[in-house]
Amino acid sequence: MTSIASVTLEVADPAAAGRFYSAAFGLDDRLRLRASEAPSSGFRGFTLSLVVSQPADVDALVDAAVQAGATTLKPAAKSLWGYGGVVQAPDGTIWQIASSSKKNTGPATRQVDEFVLLLGVEDVKASKQFYVDHGLAVGKSFGGKYVEFATGPGPVKLALYKRRGLAKVAGVSPDGTGSHRLVIGGDAGPFTDPDGFAWTTASENASV
């Protein structure tokens, strides 16, 4: 089964970004960084989501990110589906931090249960078919709105969302131009999908 080993964020200052992510999330080898000055403005078409077990964990991660320099896009709050908030890292990457639980069951931790890459695409059904053709298996699918892939034992999960809908969830305008500033490392690549998201083999997706 196709799996994703890591995601690489292209940033202007990898050392500064590394300090931020170490202080905020501590995602070890799932998140990599490399230098890039590729033009990029507005919404980059994706978010990264950290799924945790309880609201206190959401608060702990959001607070750590803000203290490390992140900007709050949506304060952590209860919703119909659980509890969560959205922050933007100094390098521009948007992070959703969420729990399906609305009640705490123990002391707060910064343990991340799932690391999910959500790609905002123009045509969910077409992108779904593209990824199926490249070896990914569908885990959950909700028509033309949302698709979640069964990405095997890899540490990164993949989902597709309508670009405009994902921007709304993130609390930003859907408008954006230039580079996604993202490279996906897994055993399905190398290729570029219909929305311009680049995949490479996991061994090539290394920090520099």
Side-chain angles (χ1 to χ4, degrees):
M1 180 179 290
T2 297
S3 63
I4 301 175
S6 64
V7 294
T8 295
L9 299 178
E10 298 182 331
V11 300
D13 186 339
R19 289 191 293 271
F20 167 79
Y21 286 116
S22 177
F25 304 137
L27 293 172
D28 52 77
D29 60 349
R30 287 175 283 187
L31 183 69
R32 299 179 179 182
L33 305 165
R34 71 183 184 192
S36 174
E37 296 291 346
S40 183
S41 65
F43 183 46
R44 294 178 184 168
F46 75 94
T47 69
L48 291 167
S49 181
L50 304 180
V51 181
V52 297
S53 63
Q54 60 180 354
D57 301 344
V58 173
D59 290 336
L61 286 169
V62 168
D63 290 348
V66 171
Q67 289 174 11
T71 301
T72 301
L73 297 179
K74 284 188 174 181
K78 288 183 179 179
S79 68
L80 291 174
W81 48 262
Y83 184 86
V86 184
V87 299
Q88 187 167 30
D91 65 81
T93 304
I94 295 173
W95 293 81
Q96 299 183 57
I97 301 145
S99 172
S100 60
S101 175
K102 297 182 182 180
K103 293 183 179 180
N104 293 318
T105 56
T109 75
R110 291 169 61 188
Q111 176 68 39
V112 174
D113 298 331
E114 291 185 351
F115 180 56
V116 186
L117 169 61
L118 294 102
L119 302 181
V121 301
E122 292 300 325
D123 187 328
V124 172
K125 289 183 178 180
S127 292
K128 170 186 172 183
Q129 188 59 52
F130 175 88
Y131 279 110
V132 168
D133 291 343
H134 281 77
L136 277 76
V138 174
K140 298 177 183 177
S141 182
F142 298 93
K145 294 183 177 181
Y146 178 81
V147 175
E148 184 178 300
F149 293 99
T151 43
V156 183
K157 296 184 179 297
L158 176 69
L160 306 178
Y161 214 119
K162 284 284 288 185
R163 178 186 172 98
R164 192 167 289 275
L166 184 59
K168 184 177 181 180
V169 169
V172 298
S173 165
D175 299 328
T177 60
S179 173
H180 292 299
R181 294 284 191 100
L182 174 77
V183 179
I184 305 162
D187 51 15
F191 59 80
T192 299
D193 81 0
D195 293 272
F197 291 103
W199 285 62
T200 187
T201 57
S203 61
E204 295 174 353
N205 197 33
S207 304
V208 295

